[in-house]
Coordinates of all heavy atoms in Angstrom, one line a residue:
D785 N 23.3 8.2 136.0 CA 21.9 8.0 135.9 C 21.5 6.7 136.6 O 22.1 5.7 136.2 CB 21.4 8.1 134.5 CG 21.6 9.4 133.9 OD1 21.7 10.4 134.6 OD2 21.6 9.5 132.6
L786 N 20.5 6.7 137.5 CA 20.1 5.5 138.2 C 18.7 5.2 138.0 O 17.9 6.2 138.0 CB 20.4 5.7 139.7 CG 21.8 6.0 140.1 CD1 21.9 6.4 141.5 CD2 22.7 4.8 139.8
L787 N 18.3 4.0 137.8 CA 16.9 3.6 137.6 C 16.4 3.0 138.9 O 16.9 2.1 139.4 CB 16.8 2.5 136.5 CG 15.4 2.2 136.0 CD1 14.7 3.4 135.4 CD2 15.5 1.0 135.0
F788 N 15.3 3.6 139.4 CA 14.7 3.2 140.7 C 13.3 2.9 140.5 O 12.6 3.5 139.6 CB 14.8 4.4 141.7 CG 16.1 4.4 142.5 CD1 17.2 5.0 142.0 CD2 16.2 3.8 143.7 CE1 18.4 5.1 142.7 CE2 17.4 3.9 144.5 CZ 18.5 4.5 143.9
A789 N 12.7 2.1 141.3 CA 11.3 1.8 141.3 C 10.6 3.1 141.9 O 11.2 3.7 142.8 CB 11.0 0.6 142.1
K790 N 9.4 3.4 141.5 CA 8.7 4.5 142.1 C 8.5 4.4 143.6 O 8.5 5.4 144.3 CB 7.3 4.7 141.4 CG 7.3 5.6 140.2 CD 5.9 5.9 139.8 CE 5.9 6.8 138.7 NZ 4.5 7.1 138.2
N791 N 8.3 3.2 144.0 CA 8.1 2.9 145.5 C 9.4 3.2 146.3 O 9.3 3.3 147.5 CB 7.7 1.5 145.7 CG 6.3 1.2 145.2 OD1 5.5 2.1 145.0 ND2 6.0 -0.1 144.9
A792 N 10.5 3.4 145.7 CA 11.7 3.7 146.4 C 11.9 5.2 146.6 O 12.9 5.5 147.3 CB 12.9 3.1 145.6
I793 N 11.0 6.0 146.1 CA 11.1 7.4 146.4 C 10.5 7.7 147.8 O 9.3 7.4 148.0 CB 10.4 8.2 145.3 CG1 11.0 7.9 143.9 CG2 10.5 9.7 145.6 CD1 12.4 8.2 143.7
G794 N 11.3 8.2 148.7 CA 10.8 8.4 150.0 C 10.2 9.8 150.2 O 9.2 9.9 151.0
A795 N 10.7 10.8 149.5 CA 10.2 12.2 149.7 C 10.6 13.0 148.5 O 11.6 12.9 147.9 CB 10.7 12.8 151.0
V796 N 9.7 13.9 148.2 CA 9.9 14.9 147.2 C 10.3 16.2 147.9 O 9.5 16.7 148.8 CB 8.7 15.2 146.2 CG1 9.0 16.3 145.2 CG2 8.3 13.9 145.5
L797 N 11.4 16.8 147.6 CA 11.9 17.9 148.4 C 11.7 19.2 147.6 O 11.6 19.3 146.4 CB 13.4 17.8 148.6 CG 13.9 16.5 149.2 CD1 15.4 16.4 149.2 CD2 13.4 16.4 150.6
S798 N 11.5 20.3 148.4 CA 11.4 21.6 147.7 C 12.7 22.0 147.2 O 13.8 21.5 147.5 CB 10.9 22.7 148.7 OG 11.9 22.9 149.7
D799 N 12.7 23.0 146.2 CA 14.0 23.4 145.6 C 15.0 24.0 146.6 O 16.2 23.7 146.6 CB 13.7 24.5 144.5 CG 13.0 23.9 143.3 OD1 13.1 22.6 143.1 OD2 12.3 24.6 142.6
D800 N 14.5 24.8 147.6 CA 15.4 25.3 148.6 C 16.0 24.2 149.5 O 17.2 24.3 149.8 CB 14.6 26.3 149.5 CG 14.2 27.6 148.7 OD1 14.8 27.9 147.7 OD2 13.2 28.2 149.1
E801 N 15.2 23.3 149.9 CA 15.7 22.2 150.8 C 16.7 21.3 150.0 O 17.7 21.0 150.6 CB 14.5 21.4 151.3 CG 14.9 20.3 152.3 CD 13.7 19.5 152.8 OE1 12.6 19.7 152.2 OE2 13.9 18.7 153.7
Y802 N 16.4 21.0 148.8 CA 17.3 20.2 148.0 C 18.6 20.9 147.8 O 19.7 20.3 148.0 CB 16.7 19.9 146.6 CG 17.5 19.0 145.7 CD1 17.6 17.6 146.0 CD2 18.3 19.5 144.7 CE1 18.4 16.8 145.2 CE2 19.0 18.7 143.9 CZ 19.1 17.4 144.1 OH 19.9 16.6 143.4
N803 N 18.6 22.2 147.4 CA 19.9 22.9 147.2 C 20.6 23.1 148.5 O 21.9 23.0 148.6 CB 19.6 24.3 146.7 CG 19.2 24.2 145.2 OD1 19.6 23.3 144.5 ND2 18.3 25.2 144.8
R804 N 19.9 23.2 149.7 CA 20.6 23.3 151.0 C 21.3 22.0 151.3 O 22.4 22.0 151.8 CB 19.6 23.7 152.0 CG 20.2 23.8 153.4 CD 19.2 24.2 154.5 NE 18.1 23.2 154.6 CZ 18.2 22.0 155.3 NH1 19.4 21.7 155.9 NH2 17.3 21.2 155.3
I805 N 20.7 20.9 151.1 CA 21.2 19.6 151.5 C 22.3 19.2 150.5 O 23.4 18.8 150.9 CB 20.1 18.6 151.6 CG1 19.2 18.9 152.7 CG2 20.7 17.2 151.7 CD1 17.9 18.0 152.7

Side-chain angles (χ1 to χ4, degrees):
D785 293 338
L786 303 168
L787 187 63
F788 274 83
K790 267 190 179 179
N791 292 339
I793 304 299
V796 177
L797 306 173
S798 67
D799 291 337
D800 293 337
E801 185 179 8
Y802 181 78
N803 287 330
R804 180 182 59 82
I805 293 170

